[in-house]
Amino acid sequence: GESVGLHLPTLSVQEGDNSIINCAYSNSASDYFIWYKQESGKGPQFIIDIRSNMDKRQGQRVTVLLNKTVKHLSLQIAATQPGDSAVYFCAENKDTGGFKTIFGAGTRLFVKA
Amino acid sequence: GAVVSQHPSRVICKSGTSVKIECRSLDFQATTMFWYRQFPKQSLMLMATSNEGSKATYEQGVEKDKFLINHASLTLSTLTVTSAHPEDSSFYICSAPTSRAPDTQYFGPGTRLTVL
C-alpha cells in the first residue's frame, strides 16, 4: 500500500496557544486534501478539507492552508485545548480511475495544561 | 449521518486461523469501501478498494489470497485475514464515501487484531 513516511513527528504546545501542523504531499495532480484527527485506538475523524482551487479554508478554530507551488499543506488550530491532543494526518485524493485517499505520515500533538 | 461501524473491535486469534472483520455503513449505502492497515505509531496504509458486486482492487504488495475481501451488499464489506500470523497483528480500519460527499471518507472505529 501507499503511505508517505513511517515516523510520527511530535508537536508539543501549551494549552491556549496556536498549533501549526505541516504536511508535504506527493502528487501535484491531487485536487482534494483532507485533515484527519485520530485519537488513540480509534478511527480517523474528518476535520477540514480543501480543494486545489483554493489556498485557504477556515472552520471552527481550524484553518487549512494549501501551497500548491511547493506541495505543502498546513493545519492551524487556534487556542489549542487538551482535547486536541491526538495524531493528525493530512491526506490527498488521487484519481486512479476511481479515487483513493492516501495518508501522510502524521503528527502527534501534545497539549500541555 | 455517515456512520461506519466495524465488528469486532478487538480480536485475538491463534496463528494459522482465519479472522473475519466486518465493515458496515449504518445510515448510507456504499458501493465502494476501503480497507486500511495501521501499525503502531505509523500512518494508515491503503490495502484495497472493496467494490460492491465485483472484485476488490488490491494495492501493490498486498496479497489478495491472504486478505480476502467480499462486498456482498451496499452496506457491508468483509475482510478475512486467512492463515493469520503474528506479523498480521495490526489495527485494521475501513472507510466509505457517501454519494453526497464522494470525495470524503468516513472511517470506522477500527479493529485491533492480535495473532498469537
Side-chain angles (χ1 to χ4, degrees):
Chain A
E2 296 185 61
S3 179
V4 178
L6 296 177
H7 304 285
L8 280 181
T10 299
L11 174 66
S12 185
V13 299
Q14 198 69 39
E15 181 179 2
D17 287 351
N18 297 334
S19 303
I20 299 176
I21 300 171
N22 296 302
C23 175
Y25 62 92
S26 59
N27 188 348
S28 57
S30 295
D31 62 357
Y32 180 65
F33 304 88
I34 317 102
W35 280 99
Y36 288 96
K37 172 186 181 183
Q38 187 181 28
E39 296 175 323
S40 181
K42 298 182 179 179
Q45 279 180 280
F46 173 91
I47 301 174
I48 192 168
D49 58 359
I50 189 168
R51 296 203 176 273
S52 59
N53 60 352
M54 303 172 68
D55 52 21
K56 180 179 180 179
R57 190 156 188 241
Q58 286 184 295
Q60 189 176 21
R61 281 202 308 120
V62 294
T63 301
V64 55
L65 299 178
L66 174 62
N67 184 331
K68 294 181 288 293
T69 304
V70 295
K71 293 190 285 186
H72 183 269
L73 201 62
S74 70
L75 175 70
Q76 300 178 1
I77 304 173
T80 313
Q81 302 169 359
D84 295 327
S85 294
V87 177
Y88 290 81
F89 293 99
C90 67
E92 59 184 301
N93 273 13
K94 288 187 176 180
D95 187 354
T96 57
F99 82 92
K100 54 186 180 182
T101 301
I102 304 302
F103 279 74
T107 296
R108 182 175 296 280
L109 176 65
F110 283 112
V111 181
K112 297 177 286 187
Chain B
V3 178
V4 177
S5 71
Q6 283 183 239
H7 178 79
S9 57
R10 291 177 180 270
V11 56
I12 301 173
C13 69
K14 293 182 179 179
S15 187
T17 61
S18 295
V19 175
K20 180 185 285 187
I21 302 169
E22 293 184 347
C23 176
R24 292 182 186 273
S25 54
L26 297 185
D27 51 359
F28 67 100
Q29 293 182 331
T31 56
T32 302
M33 291 182 172
F34 299 88
W35 287 97
Y36 293 81
R37 181 166 56 180
Q38 186 178 31
F39 292 109
K41 299 184 179 180
Q42 292 189 18
S43 187
L44 281 74
M45 292 184 62
L46 180 64
M47 299 175 66
T49 303
S50 174
N51 304 299
E52 189 269 335
S54 64
K55 290 183 179 180
T57 305
Y58 290 82
E59 294 300 300
Q60 190 173 10
V62 178
E63 299 174 59
K64 61 181 181 181
D65 295 329
K66 171 81 173 170
F67 299 99
L68 300 179
I69 291 172
N70 185 12
H71 195 148
S73 78
L74 288 171
T75 59
L76 174 64
S77 174
T78 60
L79 169 69
T80 301
V81 183
T82 63
S83 186
H85 290 284
E87 58 266 30
D88 298 322
S89 298
S90 189
F91 195 49
Y92 291 87
I93 308 171
C94 71
S95 70
T98 65
S99 57
R100 64 177 184 272
D103 291 340
T104 303
Q105 299 290 341
Y106 292 90
F107 285 83
T111 296
R112 173 76 59 194
L113 170 63
T114 303
V115 185
L116 303 177

